[in-house]
Amino acid sequence: MTATLATTASTGTALRPLFAPRGIAVIGASRNPGKLGAALARSLEGYAAAGGRLALVNGRDETMYRSVAEAAKDGPVDLAMICVPAPACPGVLAEAAEAGVGAAIISGGGFAEAGGPGVEYQRELENVVAASGIRLLGPNTSGFLAPHAGVTASFVPGVARVRPGRVAVVAASGGVNHALAFLLTDAGHGVSLAVGLGNGVDVTAPDVLDHLADDPHTTAVALHIESVADGPRLVESVRRLTARRPVVALVVGRHDVGAFAASHTGALATSWRTTRAALAQAGAVVVDDERELVDAVGALSVTRARPCADPGVGVVTAQAGPGLLLLDDLRGRKAPVPELTDVSLRRLSELLPPLTYQRNPVDTGRPGPELAQVLSTVGADPGVDAVAAYALYEPDAVDVVDAAVQGRADGVPMVMGLGGSGEEVTAARRALLDAGIAVAADPRGVAAATGALLADARARARDTVPARASGVPAGITGSHDEDQAKALLGRLGVTTPPRRACDDRAAAHAALAELGGPVAVKLLDATVLHKTEAGGVHLGIRTPAELDAALDALEANGFRRWLVEAMAPSGVDLVVGARRDPVFGPVVLLGLGGTTAEALADVSIRLAPLTPEEAAVMPSELAGHALLNGWRGGPVLDSGELGRLVATLGDLLLANPSLAEVEVNPLRLTAQGGLVALDAVILTKETDDAQPDL
Amino acid sequence: MTATLATTASTGTALRPLFAPRGIAVIGASRNPGKLGAALARSLEGYAAAGGRLALVNGRDETMYRSVAEAAKDGPVDLAMICVPAPACPGVLAEAAEAGVGAAIISGGGFAEAGGPGVEYQRELENVVAASGIRLLGPNTSGFLAPHAGVTASFVPGVARVRPGRVAVVAASGGVNHALAFLLTDAGHGVSLAVGLGNGVDVTAPDVLDHLADDPHTTAVALHIESVADGPRLVESVRRLTARRPVVALVVGRHDVGAFAASHTGALATSWRTTRAALAQAGAVVVDDERELVDAVGALSVTRARPCADPGVGVVTAQAGPGLLLLDDLRGRKAPVPELTDVSLRRLSELLPPLTYQRNPVDTGRPGPELAQVLSTVGADPGVDAVAAYALYEPDAVDVVDAAVQGRADGVPMVMGLGGSGEEVTAARRALLDAGIAVAADPRGVAAATGALLADARARARDTVPARASGVPAGITGSHDEDQAKALLGRLGVTTPPRRACDDRAAAHAALAELGGPVAVKLLDATVLHKTEAGGVHLGIRTPAELDAALDALEANGFRRWLVEAMAPSGVDLVVGARRDPVFGPVVLLGLGGTTAEALADVSIRLAPLTPEEAAVMPSELAGHALLNGWRGGPVLDSGELGRLVATLGDLLLANPSLAEVEVNPLRLTAQGGLVALDAVILTKETDDAQPDL
């Protein structure tokens, strides 16, 4: 941990010239107000007015410095803002580096995202960065805002309106960076630092995340991801940062947006599911849209729940209707809203009139001075780890700010939804934020903020740096037929049905006699991956005659080695596997069997290695989770057993560099025998080479 | 249609004493500022100041009228606001009616929602209403706001801040009514009328909806539903209203909120799915939460798309990153974003620099004066029925309000997302709204508003009052075994496998010989609904020996009549049915077969009767829809064939009052034979009586 922090600190320092410059040169500054250089200079007027050194550079305007070198002679220039056309950028960047400038921003486009010669310009920028060590933000970004330092390094008008605050924004896109900064301002939060990365030639999300671990102004980080170049590095940075500050991540690309995304950044969109899973596993709170991002990061910037594996919510509402919307929304987020203890209920019955609902949600009716005690009673309930409240702003009934502040239970965060309009309400919301109480304007905002507090509490309760499990076999190479794959699973402790590999009819008949019917008879050939489609599977074989008929059919299809296997009892089929993601490396996957689950892409993903405890959480993430929980009298999953199996598959991939993929499909959940692997495929790099059509 | 409008008009008039009173009496007015009566009187100060007659009534305060009768002698009293404890309310209501008051509001609680004696108080209110004809809003509601008429009949402070606007709110709950009114105000819309219904003893949602059809101030209606007492009446009112004004509906209770909901209104929560389906079918746009409600109704209050069965969206963005969020969100809503025509692309390539993405989304790069022409080019594309745009507010680059107004294509609505903060941005958004352009502050808001415009366009393209199909058999009674049920389906044109009902072994063997193997052999008994669970189904029978074994097993279970039926080819299984919903009456249902789909409750619902065209839309609503569209080389659904079948099942239920339910499960989609009914259950009321465990 010490080494990690040291690394963070040194990386943090590395971006000071960029985010806390002692002097800024605008290269390509312009007197023409419509030009980018003019807009940038205007945005920096506040910086100059506050005593920052602003040097305007334009070789063709004699009222300005002729070159960055000249500007640097007169005083410190830490940051060069380069506003020249793309072909000229590499040269100007080199000049700046030569002049001792530590960091640069290139806002303009026309690089890799545009294709053509832009690709080469971008490569030249990379070369300058590599040769000189200058730090470069962009190209193709509208810049960054550091309101505490008075630096608005952006050409977007109105950015001076972005309030200094506690939330940092790290956005793939300059446009999203600004959009979020404005939304955070309007929600009463403001920003500590807001960075749009653009093409990310040098400074990428991990760099900024590392910088933020030490930023004294930042208490929570909003992360917007369009694509990931280096998965493990991103994960490592998020993991380091979440140990110190909450991170809320929005990943774009749930649906098919690939063509447009490529035009935007020149990079392919990463896998949405895997990226979200990786970020969540690293401790980030993952959200679905930019509104929930603002709700979540705004809440986490003022308060956090204690680490807790299964936190519960106490709901307090002054109006039943909005409380019902809130409860419905919380249930949709699978947020537990537990029954309160008898002690709490007794106390509430003393505080509230008898007509109100008090079991959680607690409906106060029109609230009065007792609201503070109601809130503290609910917050003190042992099942409650966060309080989600809603009230219309009714100052003639109760001072809601005072009630919330007084009613806060120790260590239990509160989200207060305050319905109303106008300056008084805005001021009350701001007062709540300043007191460390998260706020929202509507029930959905309360639910989103509460959901984020719970997700953060759960993430903090997990061990984010799992040890690698021992005891998995290493050195696995070569191809594996089903029998060999199942033998390997057996060594890992996975149950497989009794089976016999058979090279001739006599062996097959002996196997049937030994196993008893019914049996499955399958082709045995490591090069055939889709046995059913190849006509290689016969089920429910009971008699020697049926066996012969099945073997005839298999032979007719050219299959002369067979697996004779006891039929498994009925149950619920799962699919588990481990494979190598091109961006993030080894991952494990869990889904339900069958085409419906497949069509719905109902799958839970984790990076490997992971602990069995972490893997045991995966089934609860499946939309069809109810099927594993005794659906219609069916079997109940032992998630511990499944977690061990899934974690082991991940370990297997890690211990065996030549292993490409392991898939158990189906893995059947049975009533008596627990989990049974009915089929298994193991692909090594050799198999891959032999299977070009994979 | 004439009759319908006449009814509407007369119902509209009926609520004028309530919503446009010539005089208001506050009964139980108080000088104590903490009392409800005092708060109400304060809220009405604006009404009095504007010249409305406000009479304060309190029998124990000699500065006020002693009774409502006394107040009514001095001048008009159309509306009585009754602020006395629940037990006194029925008497006061009767007095008001006696004094000639046309309408009353009871805000307080303590009625059916509280149980105990409250149930009786509520019944007494019902009796007074029935005997006198006085219209009653509430009890248990915070009232209503009619800002255009200056009436703020609510005890919530700050309601005077709610701006007069074009959106009407009809909310089950007074709290939600106020919450929405504030949100609509903050979003720049304001309200025309905002009503919280509370317990709905007399005035219910249909009454207010009927009133709004003629309200000149209202251009769109937000409807919040917690429970439905009279489904057909609600549907009829929504259908009538949507012919004149768009309606956006939010239904509470997707998740388990039953206990709290019951405490709130004293009514059981209605079925979330069926209620949403019914409202959508009646022409309403259905949304998921209160934020989307505000986005949707705000957009529809200023603009509507033309009726269109399959409308497409043109996306224009000035920043690629927010545009990507917008596109991703639109895709999640299944909003078509079509490729633009060559003509449009050529025009765009003349307007925009070559580096930008122009294929839809159209990325303008930093926009300039060409923005108007870009918008109009996209809007004029034949595949585009609505334009969804996003831009950061950059007045030094382009006047976005002017560009949007100039760039509007005739008859094609536009949603403009405007990112930014501060008064200038707020003013620009308001100017857009006033020009009939929907606005949002973020990409999600643009997507939600656009989704609402599309849903409204699709609803308007449908025939909302379907004719009842002719040709279905009537007079169906008695019990039906599988053979009889399939015979009935055959008469309706549904394909069923060749089959023979067999009373003895000779008949069964003859059937096997005739049909050829493999066959299914099933018990034939109208009283057994779950044949598989009863051990009554044997599949894949090929030989006389196998048949005898199956018949032995069936006989051993006591089944002596059998159905011998040809096995159907493989395919994708669906479930279709028609049944009677306790609130809405006959409904049809469609889902995918299998336990996964069942566990996910992936089902599409419609009220019957419905047209085959309407029913043909249902498969597209299933989450697993891809399975019906040639998934992995499988069969492709003819949605027209399915639509006819589903509509016919609905007609059958309507034509046969004694029919309780028809279910075809599975209905198999096959590659060669289209849809084949593999099993069918028909339940009549007689069957119901014979099956108490249903």
Side-chain angles (χ1 to χ4, degrees):
Chain A
M1 205 60 185
T2 316
T4 303
L5 287 182
T7 312
T8 307
S10 80
T11 319
T13 315
L15 295 185
R16 281 211 193 129
L18 181 62
F19 296 133
R22 290 165 304 158
I24 302 176
V26 179
I27 305 177
S30 172
R31 304 277 162 201
N32 177 345
K35 292 272 187 185
L36 204 65
L40 267 175
R42 269 199 307 280
S43 291
L44 287 166
E45 277 164 11
Y47 174 72
R53 178 169 186 252
L54 182 60
L56 305 183
V57 179
N58 187 328
R60 284 172 295 182
D61 183 333
E62 54 195 25
T63 67
M64 303 185 184
Y65 286 108
R66 304 302 294 258
S67 70
V68 63
E70 203 176 276
K73 272 181 207 143
D74 272 9
V77 176
D78 281 344
L79 172 61
M81 306 196 62
I82 300 176
C83 309
V84 302
C89 280
V92 171
L93 183 67
E95 270 178 54
E98 181 70 21
V101 174
I105 303 179
I106 299 176
S107 292
F111 296 88
E113 86 287 357
V119 176
E120 181 53 29
Y121 305 145
Q122 183 154 327
R123 197 169 304 127
E124 289 172 25
L125 293 179
E126 284 165 20
N127 293 341
V128 175
V129 167
S132 67
I134 193 170
R135 302 309 305 260
L136 174 63
L137 181 65
N140 191 25
T141 169
S142 41
F144 73 88
L145 318 175
H148 292 286
V151 186
T152 49
S154 155
F155 57 80
V156 177
V159 282
R161 290 189 179 276
V162 173
R163 295 199 330 142
R166 291 168 281 234
V167 177
V169 178
V170 184
S173 133
V176 170
N177 182 46
H178 281 80
L180 290 176
F182 289 127
L183 291 174
L184 286 162
T185 294
D186 281 357
H189 303 302
V191 304
S192 54
L193 179 70
V195 184
L197 297 166
N199 289 13
V201 156
D202 173 38
V203 174
T204 56
D207 296 304
V208 185
L209 296 174
D210 289 346
H211 172 83
L212 290 169
D214 289 320
D215 181 45
H217 299 297
T218 299
T219 58
V221 178
L223 175 63
H224 163 255
I225 297 272
E226 286 181 359
S227 67
V228 179
D230 183 340
R233 190 171 164 226
L234 177 67
V235 165
E236 205 36 61
S237 288
V238 170
R239 187 173 280 159
R240 265 200 306 269
L241 182 53
T242 55
R244 306 181 63 175
R245 313 245 190 285
V247 174
V248 181
L250 173 62
V251 181
V252 187
R254 176 171 199 151
H255 307 284
D256 174 23
V257 297
F260 182 43
S263 83
H264 175 20
T265 59
L268 287 178
T270 188
S271 154
W272 181 81
R273 276 169 209 285
T274 306
T275 306
R276 285 184 34 125
L279 293 172
Q281 203 173 341
V285 173
V286 177
V287 293
D288 288 338
D289 61 66
E290 69 274 14
R291 289 184 183 172
E292 303 237 326
L293 181 66
V294 170
D295 295 327
V297 80
L300 286 164
S301 73
V302 298
T303 187
R304 278 181 106 167
R306 285 179 293 230
C308 179
D310 186 24
V313 183
V315 178
V316 177
T317 187
Q319 285 82 27
L324 203 51
L325 287 171
L326 172 56
L327 178 65
D328 207 7
D329 200 331
L330 287 170
R331 291 238 195 274
R333 294 167 197 271
K334 297 184 189 168
V337 182
E339 296 264 319
L340 303 178
T341 64
D342 287 345
V343 174
S344 303
L345 292 177
R346 208 152 39 237
R347 181 85 187 99
L348 289 170
S349 72
E350 291 159 15
L351 292 166
L352 292 170
L355 301 182
T356 59
Y357 196 86
Q358 297 168 10
R359 277 181 283 167
N360 199 12
V362 176
D363 177 4
T364 64
R366 192 163 203 246
E370 79 290 345
L371 180 59
Q373 284 175 285
V374 171
L375 288 168
S376 64
T377 302
V378 172
D381 189 278
V384 169
D385 300 282
V387 172
Y390 182 89
L392 291 172
Y393 183 67
E394 299 188 78
D396 59 353
V398 64
D399 180 336
V400 70
V401 176
D402 195 57
V405 171
Q406 299 303 322
R408 199 162 24 166
D410 201 33
V412 178
M414 187 188 299
V415 184
M416 176 61 76
L418 200 52
S421 182
E423 283 168 27
E424 261 187 90
V425 178
T426 304
R429 289 189 192 131
R430 193 158 294 176
L432 287 166
L433 282 177
D434 288 343
I437 294 165
V439 297
D442 48 33
R444 185 162 189 83
V446 177
T450 307
L453 291 171
L454 301 190
D456 179 61
R458 285 192 296 263
R460 296 168 79 192
R462 291 196 310 258
D463 187 0
T464 58
V465 189
R468 190 141 134 196
S470 59
V472 298
I476 297 168
T477 55
S479 64
H480 289 66
D481 64 28
E482 183 179 340
D483 186 48
Q484 292 162 325
K486 284 180 167 169
L488 176 58
L489 288 179
R491 286 167 66 195
L492 298 171
V494 179
T495 305
T496 53
R499 68 184 175 281
R500 302 288 180 274
C502 304
D503 290 315
D504 56 41
R505 295 228 170 193
H509 280 278
L512 174 60
E514 207 179 342
L515 298 170
V519 296
V521 182
K522 301 186 256 187
L523 68 88
L524 202 51
D525 183 338
T527 68
V528 179
L529 296 178
H530 302 289
K531 289 188 276 279
T532 302
E533 289 78 349
V537 179
H538 295 258
L539 301 177
I541 303 296
R542 293 167 184 274
T543 64
E546 288 173 359
L547 177 59
D548 276 321
L551 297 177
D552 289 347
L554 286 166
E555 284 190 338
N557 283 326
F559 304 122
R560 296 177 192 286
R561 292 190 70 235
W562 316 296
L563 189 69
V564 177
E565 186 174 65
M567 293 285 287
S570 66
V572 181
D573 285 348
L574 295 161
V575 181
V576 300
R579 65 177 182 225
R580 298 185 192 277
D581 181 83
V583 172
F584 289 97
V587 296
V588 291
L589 301 98
L590 168 71
L592 289 166
T595 49
T596 304
E598 194 184 349
L600 296 176
D602 184 17
V603 62
S604 172
I605 301 176
R606 290 289 189 285
L607 304 193
L610 77 169
T611 61
E613 293 72 27
E614 173 80 21
V617 176
M618 296 171 71
S620 69
E621 294 176 356
L622 298 177
H625 177 227
L627 287 171
L628 305 174
N629 208 15
W631 178 259
R632 307 238 150 171
V636 177
L637 177 70
D638 174 349
S639 56
E641 180 189 6
L642 182 72
R644 287 188 296 277
L645 194 163
V646 170
T648 301
L649 294 186
D651 291 338
L652 193 68
L653 218 63
L654 282 157
N656 292 278
S658 72
L659 209 55
E661 185 173 348
V662 185
E663 187 179 82
V664 183
N665 181 10
L667 175 70
R668 181 165 292 173
L669 170 61
T670 67
Q672 302 299 326
L675 295 167
V676 183
L678 299 199
D679 197 0
V681 171
I682 289 179
L683 298 181
T684 57
K685 287 185 180 152
E686 295 89 336
T687 332
D688 265 357
D689 295 341
Q691 291 278 338
D693 59 337
L694 240 196
Chain B
M1 204 62 184
T2 315
T4 302
L5 288 180
T7 312
T8 307
S10 81
T11 319
T13 315
L15 294 185
R16 279 207 195 132
L18 181 62
F19 296 133
R22 290 166 303 159
I24 302 176
V26 179
I27 305 177
S30 173
R31 303 277 162 201
N32 178 343
K35 293 273 187 183
L36 204 66
L40 267 176
R42 269 199 306 282
S43 291
L44 288 166
E45 278 164 11
Y47 174 72
R53 177 167 187 252
L54 183 60
L56 304 183
V57 179
N58 187 329
R60 285 172 296 183
D61 183 332
E62 54 195 25
T63 67
M64 302 185 186
Y65 286 108
R66 304 303 294 259
S67 70
V68 63
E70 203 176 275
K73 271 182 208 143
D74 273 9
V77 176
D78 281 344
L79 172 61
M81 306 196 60
I82 300 177
C83 309
V84 301
C89 280
V92 171
L93 183 67
E95 271 179 54
E98 181 70 21
V101 175
I105 302 179
I106 300 176
S107 292
F111 295 90
E113 86 287 356
V119 175
E120 181 53 28
Y121 304 146
Q122 184 154 326
R123 197 170 302 126
E124 289 172 26
L125 293 179
E126 284 165 20
N127 293 341
V128 175
V129 167
S132 68
I134 192 170
R135 302 309 306 259
L136 174 62
L137 182 65
N140 191 24
T141 169
S142 41
F144 73 89
L145 318 174
H148 292 285
V151 187
T152 48
S154 154
F155 57 79
V156 177
V159 282
R161 289 188 180 279
V162 173
R163 294 199 329 142
R166 291 168 280 234
V167 177
V169 178
V170 183
S173 134
V176 170
N177 182 48
H178 281 79
L180 291 176
F182 289 127
L183 292 173
L184 286 162
T185 294
D186 281 358
H189 303 300
V191 303
S192 54
L193 178 70
V195 184
L197 297 166
N199 290 13
V201 157
D202 173 38
V203 174
T204 56
D207 296 304
V208 185
L209 296 174
D210 289 345
H211 172 82
L212 290 169
D214 289 320
D215 182 45
H217 299 297
T218 299
T219 58
V221 178
L223 176 62
H224 163 255
I225 298 272
E226 287 181 356
S227 68
V228 179
D230 183 341
R233 190 170 163 227
L234 176 66
V235 165
E236 205 36 60
S237 288
V238 171
R239 188 172 281 159
R240 265 200 305 268
L241 183 52
T242 54
R244 307 181 62 174
R245 315 244 190 283
V247 174
V248 181
L250 172 63
V251 180
V252 187
R254 177 172 198 151
H255 307 284
D256 174 23
V257 296
F260 182 43
S263 83
H264 174 20
T265 58
L268 287 178
T270 188
S271 154
W272 180 81
R273 274 168 210 286
T274 307
T275 305
R276 283 180 40 120
L279 292 172
Q281 202 174 341
V285 173
V286 178
V287 293
D288 287 339
D289 61 67
E290 69 274 15
R291 289 185 183 172
E292 303 237 327
L293 180 66
V294 170
D295 295 326
V297 79
L300 286 165
S301 74
V302 297
T303 187
R304 279 180 106 167
R306 283 179 293 229
C308 180
D310 187 24
V313 184
V315 178
V316 177
T317 187
Q319 285 82 27
L324 203 51
L325 288 171
L326 173 55
L327 178 65
D328 206 7
D329 201 329
L330 287 170
R331 291 237 195 275
R333 294 166 199 271
K334 297 185 189 168
V337 181
E339 296 263 319
L340 302 179
T341 63
D342 288 344
V343 174
S344 303
L345 292 177
R346 207 152 40 235
R347 181 85 187 100
L348 289 170
S349 73
E350 291 159 15
L351 292 166
L352 291 171
L355 301 181
T356 59
Y357 195 85
Q358 297 167 8
R359 276 180 284 165
N360 199 12
V362 176
D363 178 3
T364 64
R366 193 165 202 243
E370 79 291 345
L371 180 59
Q373 284 175 284
V374 171
L375 289 168
S376 64
T377 302
V378 172
D381 190 278
V384 169
D385 301 281
V387 172
Y390 183 89
L392 292 172
Y393 182 67
E394 300 190 76
D396 59 353
V398 64
D399 180 336
V400 70
V401 176
D402 195 55
V405 171
Q406 300 302 322
R408 200 162 23 166
D410 201 33
V412 177
M414 187 189 297
V415 184
M416 176 61 74
L418 200 53
S421 182
E423 282 168 28
E424 260 187 273
V425 179
T426 305
R429 289 189 192 131
R430 192 157 297 174
L432 288 165
L433 281 178
D434 288 344
I437 294 165
V439 298
D442 47 32
R444 185 163 189 82
V446 178
T450 306
L453 292 171
L454 301 190
D456 179 60
R458 285 191 296 263
R460 295 168 80 192
R462 291 195 311 257
D463 187 1
T464 58
V465 190
R468 191 140 132 194
S470 60
V472 300
I476 296 169
T477 56
S479 63
H480 288 66
D481 64 29
E482 183 178 340
D483 186 48
Q484 292 162 326
K486 283 180 168 170
L488 176 58
L489 288 178
R491 286 167 66 194
L492 298 172
V494 179
T495 304
T496 53
R499 67 183 176 280
R500 303 287 180 273
C502 304
D503 290 316
D504 56 42
R505 295 226 171 195
H509 281 278
L512 174 61
E514 206 178 342
L515 297 171
V519 297
V521 181
K522 302 186 256 186
L523 69 88
L524 202 51
D525 183 338
T527 67
V528 179
L529 295 179
H530 302 289
K531 290 188 275 278
T532 302
E533 290 79 348
V537 179
H538 295 260
L539 301 177
I541 303 296
R542 292 168 185 273
T543 64
E546 288 173 0
L547 177 58
D548 276 322
L551 297 177
D552 289 347
L554 286 166
E555 283 191 338
N557 283 325
F559 304 124
R560 296 178 192 286
R561 292 190 71 234
W562 316 297
L563 190 69
V564 177
E565 186 174 64
M567 293 285 288
S570 66
V572 181
D573 285 348
L574 295 161
V575 181
V576 299
R579 65 178 181 223
R580 297 184 192 277
D581 181 84
V583 172
F584 289 98
V587 297
V588 291
L589 301 97
L590 168 72
L592 288 166
T595 50
T596 303
E598 193 184 350
L600 295 176
D602 183 17
V603 63
S604 172
I605 301 177
R606 289 289 188 286
L607 303 194
L610 77 169
T611 61
E613 293 72 28
E614 173 79 22
V617 176
M618 295 171 71
S620 69
E621 294 176 355
L622 298 176
H625 176 227
L627 287 171
L628 305 175
N629 208 16
W631 178 260
R632 307 237 150 171
V636 177
L637 177 70
D638 174 349
S639 56
E641 180 189 6
L642 182 72
R644 286 189 295 277
L645 194 163
V646 170
T648 301
L649 295 186
D651 291 338
L652 193 68
L653 218 63
L654 282 157
N656 292 279
S658 73
L659 208 56
E661 186 174 347
V662 185
E663 189 179 81
V664 183
N665 180 9
L667 175 71
R668 181 165 292 172
L669 170 60
T670 67
Q672 302 300 325
L675 295 166
V676 182
L678 299 198
D679 197 359
V681 171
I682 290 179
L683 299 181
T684 57
K685 287 185 179 151
E686 295 89 336
T687 333
D688 264 358
D689 295 341
Q691 291 279 338
D693 59 337
L694 241 195

